[in-house]
Amino acid sequence: MTFDFEKMSQVVAANSRKRQEPSWLSQKRQAGLQALTTAPAPKMQKFDFRDWDLMSLPDPSATSDLDEATELDKAHLVQVGTTTPYVNLPDDVRQQGVILTDLATAAEQYADLVQPALMTVVSADENQLTAYHQAMMNNGIFVYVPQNVEVTIPLETMIYQDATNSNPLVHHVLIVTEANAKLQFVEHLATLGEEKTMASLMVEIIAKENSQVSFASLDELGTNTTEYFKRRAQIGRDAKVEWSIGLMSDGNVVGDVDSELVGTGGKADSKTIAVSTRQQEIGINNRVTHHGQNTEGLINQRGVLLEQSKLVFNGIGEIIHGAHGAEAEQQNRVLMMSPDAHGDANPILLIDENDVIAGHAASVGPVDPEQMYYLVSRGIPQSQAERLVIRGYLSPVITAIPSKLLRQKMIDILERKLAHGQDE
């Protein structure tokens, strides 16, 4: 991956000036830019994306409108490109001290909360793409839940990537839950327009002692969008983070879901599904790292490949020396619906401790013929039977999403992709 440092420096300065950012955030951008000069190139086992354009220059003067945004009344926060036209947090939730706002507003109004947390779960110098992201962020969301507060409704967000122009979306979600807090957060990412562009999407979750975070995401970006994402949680003592991620974008996708179990008794449950079509390429690392003792990490990845697509799942369970009593389990399963598709399911266990439990399962293959025979023998057409089997196969993630609207949306997208793939 190549970059023009001088042009990037000009864009970083222009972004800061346009937004009249606080000095600490401008300095953080500059630190990201400097890290870009020394950070290593990103890599993924058995997946090559070196020729992808994942570091486009944002246009500081770009604006977006709402002409095509359709879900204003179905979410608590809506963003379109670089703008945030709609935030509606219920009064009873707000009165408990819960914060839901765009990242730029949070950086100015809640600097005491944002500054110590932003880009601390993910480090800018991890690779070139994390450095680029820190320097070029052009929109984002901040969520804060105070100590002992339980948010009883899912906080739902709608994020539209504006592809009516080629301006990239460099989007950052920062979630901080204090001790004993509970949160369900839902994001839906979609694309308006058809211009060729890219999206850099990052999520940082800081789950403090005994807090619980359920994070659900439906990625539905367009065919001409190349997507990079990094979603990582720092999980404290007796805290739990549950990921439920549906990768339904139509363009090429590469990304990481990471759970860092830093406190004793922490738990991570990471569920991901992906459906690839046409000549699409998708590469995913799903990692749980056990630092604390008596931690529990579960990975469940399920993919469906259609047409000439490629999908690589790497499930990584790592137990650091000293993490006594850790339990690391994972499943990585891929359904091949086309002889022209290429799928890999790679379970990886990295264990540096004796007193642990670890296991894995992986499979790559077609739909179970016994299931198909059972359905077809009862008069169900072949194509419909395949779709029923696949929906059941993906149900562990779909049913985990707290938003009924988003669950149905995911099912609708799945049906569309499967119908198209079966017609080819």
Side-chain angles (χ1 to χ4, degrees):
M1 296 182 181
T2 60
F3 57 91
D4 187 323
F5 182 83
E6 184 176 347
K7 285 186 178 180
M8 284 188 168
S9 180
Q10 293 171 356
V11 169
V12 168
N15 273 328
S16 294
R17 287 195 302 270
K18 180 186 177 183
R19 293 175 171 80
Q20 297 181 323
E21 292 177 338
S23 59
W24 69 264
L25 183 53
S26 298
Q27 292 167 7
K28 187 169 284 288
R29 287 188 185 277
Q30 291 294 332
L33 187 63
Q34 292 300 320
L36 186 58
T37 62
T38 57
K43 296 179 181 179
M44 179 173 291
Q45 184 172 348
K46 296 189 176 182
F47 193 78
D48 186 1
F49 57 101
R50 287 174 295 180
D51 59 345
W52 293 13
D53 181 10
L54 289 169
M55 292 195 294
S56 299
L57 289 179
D59 180 0
S61 64
T63 58
S64 302
D65 59 53
L66 280 172
D67 290 345
E68 297 180 74
T70 60
E71 298 190 28
L72 286 178
D73 59 341
K74 301 173 184 176
H76 297 105
L77 181 148
V78 176
Q79 295 184 325
V80 182
T82 60
T83 66
T84 306
Y86 182 85
V87 182
N88 182 24
L89 189 63
D91 288 340
D92 60 331
V93 177
R94 191 187 306 275
Q95 288 169 6
Q96 296 180 84
V98 176
I99 299 169
L100 172 67
T101 189
D102 65 277
L103 191 58
T105 298
E108 182 177 350
Q109 297 184 5
Y110 306 105
D112 58 325
L113 298 174
V114 177
Q115 185 176 356
L118 183 64
M119 292 300 296
T120 60
V121 180
V122 178
S123 175
D125 59 7
E126 287 186 24
N127 62 56
Q128 291 176 351
L129 296 181
T130 56
Y132 164 88
H133 183 96
Q134 179 166 309
M136 299 295 176
M137 286 182 288
N138 57 14
N139 210 349
I141 297 170
F142 176 63
V143 181
Y144 176 77
V145 184
Q147 184 173 340
N148 300 321
V149 171
E150 178 179 355
V151 183
T152 58
I153 60 171
L155 296 187
E156 301 190 35
T157 62
M158 183 71 224
I159 303 161
Y160 290 99
Q161 177 208 19
D162 183 1
T164 59
N165 55 59
S166 60
N167 195 41
L169 176 65
V170 188
H171 192 273
H172 196 99
V173 176
L174 175 61
I175 297 173
V176 179
T177 54
E178 297 288 356
N180 306 309
K182 293 184 180 181
L183 171 70
Q184 297 179 78
F185 181 86
V186 180
E187 69 171 10
H188 181 190
L189 292 133
T191 296
L192 302 175
E194 299 181 352
E195 290 293 321
K196 185 176 181 180
T197 185
M198 54 79 60
S200 174
L201 311 172
M202 190 173 291
V203 175
E204 293 184 292
I205 298 175
I206 299 175
K208 298 185 181 180
E209 181 178 354
N210 201 42
S211 65
Q212 296 182 27
V213 179
S214 171
F215 182 96
S217 179
L218 170 57
D219 294 12
E220 189 196 355
L221 300 182
T223 304
N224 295 322
T225 297
T226 304
E227 175 184 349
Y228 168 74
F229 71 83
K230 183 175 283 289
R231 293 166 170 143
R232 181 177 293 168
Q234 179 179 289
I235 304 169
R237 183 182 183 91
D238 296 321
K240 180 179 180 179
V241 171
E242 181 176 3
W243 303 96
S244 302
I245 297 173
L247 300 171
M248 300 288 186
S249 295
D250 289 326
N252 290 337
V253 179
V254 63
D256 303 286
V257 183
D258 296 332
S259 302
E260 299 287 336
L261 293 162
V262 297
T264 300
K267 296 182 179 180
D269 186 350
S270 187
K271 305 183 187 75
T272 301
I273 62 174
V275 179
S276 57
T277 61
R278 302 181 177 87
Q279 287 79 41
Q280 185 180 17
E281 296 184 15
I282 300 177
I284 307 300
N285 279 337
N286 199 330
R287 176 190 291 269
V288 177
T289 305
H290 301 254
H291 301 270
Q293 297 181 11
N294 301 312
T295 51
E296 181 179 329
L298 304 175
I299 296 172
N300 189 352
Q301 301 192 100
R302 303 197 176 196
V304 179
L305 288 88
L306 302 160
E307 301 165 270
Q308 296 84 41
S309 62
K310 177 179 181 179
L311 171 62
V312 174
F313 275 152
N314 295 319
I316 307 165
E318 183 171 7
I319 300 177
I320 304 297
H321 183 68
H324 302 288
E327 181 177 352
E329 299 286 346
Q330 60 172 284
Q331 294 185 30
N332 305 277
R333 303 191 185 278
V334 173
L335 272 183
M336 307 290 292
M337 302 300 296
S338 166
D340 299 319
H342 177 76
D344 277 312
N346 305 307
I348 302 168
L349 292 174
L350 306 172
I351 301 173
D352 192 21
E353 187 54 66
N354 294 320
D355 180 23
V356 300
I357 298 173
H360 63 78
S363 63
V364 177
V367 172
D368 187 333
E370 291 187 8
Q371 292 179 320
M372 288 298 299
Y373 176 79
Y374 178 86
L375 294 171
V376 173
S377 66
R378 282 153 178 76
I380 299 175
Q382 176 87 10
S383 60
Q384 184 179 350
E386 285 183 347
R387 293 200 292 273
L388 286 173
V389 170
I390 292 169
R391 279 183 58 175
Y393 169 78
L394 299 178
S395 64
V397 173
I398 295 175
T399 57
I401 292 176
S403 167
K404 181 179 179 181
L405 178 69
L406 202 62
R407 286 198 304 270
Q408 187 57 52
K409 183 71 173 177
M410 189 176 292
I411 291 170
D412 292 344
I413 297 169
L414 176 61
E415 290 290 332
R416 170 177 58 80
K417 285 178 174 283
L418 293 176
H420 181 274
Q422 290 171 330
D423 289 342
E424 290 298 310

